[in-house]
Amino acid sequence: MPVIDLRSDTVTQPTAAMREAMMGAPLGDDVYGEDPTVTRLEQTLAARLGLAAGLFVPSGTMSNLLGLMAHCERGDEYIVGQLSHTYKYEGGGAAVLGSIQPQPIEMEADGSLDLERVASVIKPDDFHFARTRLLALENTMHGKVLPLDYLAAAHDFTRARGLALHLDGARLFNAVIKLGCDPKDICRYFDSVSVCLSKGLGAPVGSVLCGSEALIAKARRWRKMVGGGMRQAGVLAAAGLYALDHHVQRLGDDHARAARIGEALVDLGYEVELVQTNMVYVRMDDRADAFKAFCAERGILISAASRLRLVTHLDVLDEHVDAVVEAFAAFARR
Ligand SMILES: *Cc1c(COP(=O)(O)O)cnc(C)c1O
């Protein structure tokens, strides 16, 4: 029975062509700065984002951590959404490893942070307080795309307040494809951007942190300290380069399939949130565990939650969409 894995877009297998690109990549010791493929990935992605420099790292968690640590010193603070990955899903790394205090705030339904609310938690310059240094946003946020005019407002806000602005752009290219814009149209507002290669882009490993030369030089020091210096890492970077060349435009297919699932579930009477990119959120309440087991019998893997998240990706095809919709239909008929 084929397995249809909707738990995340991290579950993709590298394609045959991607594996071939990895096999043929020229390699060197990247800690010595001598891996041509890593260097090419860092420069290629930074250029595409319109930022000066890039740093290849093993994970998005490390990429965000290094970004926060490059912006903030010990005793500094960053403002972040309650549900943001950097705050909620990275083991408290900024606080634990960076001595950076998070100031989480409630998020808006569209995934943004209300700038007046942000302003209200910025600390005065007084030794009682941590020094507020940075605002961190996420895009896409739970599959939602932050509007460009909001990003412009956040940029102006941070300039006026002397804050830096970081983007957790794990799924930046999903936002780019949804908006039909250039990555620079989003990244021009940020001092640093973290992009995951191992989500919808379909590479097995890796993220890239992009920013100014000075910021990336700082992040490179921290990367070595936290154990992220890799040697012949070009074998991995080659997968990222391949993904940037071949797997960006096709994200639109993932979005179309997610939309198709969403529309079919609405027709079946399920409560579905508006689908913008590659995630479908379905309200399941206390039926989630039963539905998970029901799906497992049909070779469909989902993460059970009262607000169920289905994620489309490279390995979810049209016939899989049909099977998923049929599973929801059969579950509703039970
Ligand atoms: C997946 C993800 C990350 C990084 O995750 P890793 O598993 O460490 O690569 C960061 N931010 C967001 C929004 C993510 O979805």
Side-chain angles (χ1 to χ4, degrees):
M1 184 165 60
V3 169
I4 304 166
D5 195 340
L6 301 173
R7 292 171 301 166
S8 176
D9 46 9
T10 55
V11 300
T12 55
Q13 294 283 323
T15 62
M18 179 180 278
R19 287 171 198 252
E20 219 161 277
M22 296 169 75
M23 290 286 288
L27 308 175
D29 188 327
D30 181 55
V31 174
Y32 292 157
E34 292 174 2
D35 190 296
T37 308
V38 170
T39 303
R40 193 152 71 85
L41 172 64
E42 291 173 345
Q43 291 175 349
T44 301
L45 187 55
R48 248 189 238 188
L49 271 47
L51 292 161
L55 183 68
F56 183 52
V57 294
S59 71
T61 297
M62 188 183 289
S63 185
N64 281 323
L65 175 68
L66 301 185
L68 297 178
M69 290 177 75
H71 284 295
C72 300
E73 306 291 332
R74 181 180 188 207
D76 288 352
E77 169 182 86
Y78 82 111
I79 300 170
V80 62
Q82 284 283 3
L83 303 175
S84 291
H85 202 279
T86 61
Y87 174 64
K88 192 171 176 189
Y89 298 102
E90 296 181 7
V96 174
L97 300 170
S99 299
I100 302 160
Q101 165 171 287
Q103 168 63 69
I105 60 174
E106 288 303 318
M107 311 189 65
E108 304 307 302
D110 66 358
S112 69
L113 300 179
D114 176 65
L115 296 176
E116 274 177 35
R117 199 191 297 266
V118 174
S120 75
V121 298
I122 295 175
K123 312 290 183 289
D125 182 7
D126 173 325
F127 59 56
H128 289 88
F129 303 122
R131 290 166 302 231
T132 310
R133 284 285 304 130
L134 175 74
L135 174 62
L137 301 177
E138 189 173 312
N139 193 18
T140 60
M141 173 72 201
H142 292 181
K144 298 190 183 108
V145 180
L146 298 182
L148 292 178
D149 59 356
Y150 172 74
L151 301 185
H155 172 266
D156 293 349
F157 173 89
T158 54
R159 295 318 94 161
R161 305 285 181 145
L163 304 182
L165 187 58
H166 173 74
L167 178 64
D168 178 353
R171 298 185 178 84
L172 171 74
F173 284 100
N174 293 91
V176 166
I177 292 299
K178 175 67 184 181
L179 293 176
C181 69
D182 188 283
K184 296 187 185 85
D185 297 336
I186 294 175
C187 297
R188 59 193 284 235
Y189 298 116
F190 292 89
D191 300 294
S192 54
V193 178
S194 168
V195 177
C196 280
L197 302 166
S198 59
K199 297 274 166 78
L201 293 181
V205 178
S207 286
V208 179
L209 177 68
C210 294
S212 69
E213 296 277 1
L215 191 88
I216 294 303
K218 278 176 93 175
R220 197 176 288 278
R221 279 189 71 83
W222 290 126
R223 184 184 70 170
K224 191 73 183 75
M225 189 183 290
V226 300
M230 299 183 288
R231 303 295 176 172
Q232 286 71 35
V235 72
L236 301 172
L241 279 165
Y242 181 88
L244 290 177
D245 281 345
H246 297 96
H247 290 172
V248 173
Q249 287 307 319
R250 66 150 306 288
L251 291 171
D253 301 346
D254 298 343
H255 299 176
R257 290 183 178 122
R260 194 146 78 74
I261 293 173
E263 285 156 20
L265 299 197
V266 169
D267 289 345
L268 288 168
Y270 288 92
E271 202 176 308
V272 181
E273 288 176 30
L274 181 68
V275 180
Q276 291 189 16
T277 57
N278 68 330
M279 295 185 187
V280 185
Y281 283 94
V282 192
R283 191 149 163 203
M284 293 303 277
D285 298 325
D286 55 1
R287 299 171 296 169
D289 285 325
F291 184 62
K292 180 182 177 179
F294 186 80
C295 282
E297 284 169 20
R298 296 161 166 255
I300 299 169
L301 301 183
I302 58 164
S303 333
S306 57
R307 184 171 165 259
L308 194 69
R309 185 187 78 163
L310 310 171
V311 188
T312 55
H313 51 73
L314 198 57
D315 294 337
V316 177
L317 308 176
D318 285 330
E319 60 264 34
H320 300 147
V321 168
D322 297 337
V324 169
V325 170
E326 176 48 32
F328 274 95
F331 188 74
R333 282 196 303 268
R334 269 186 334 166

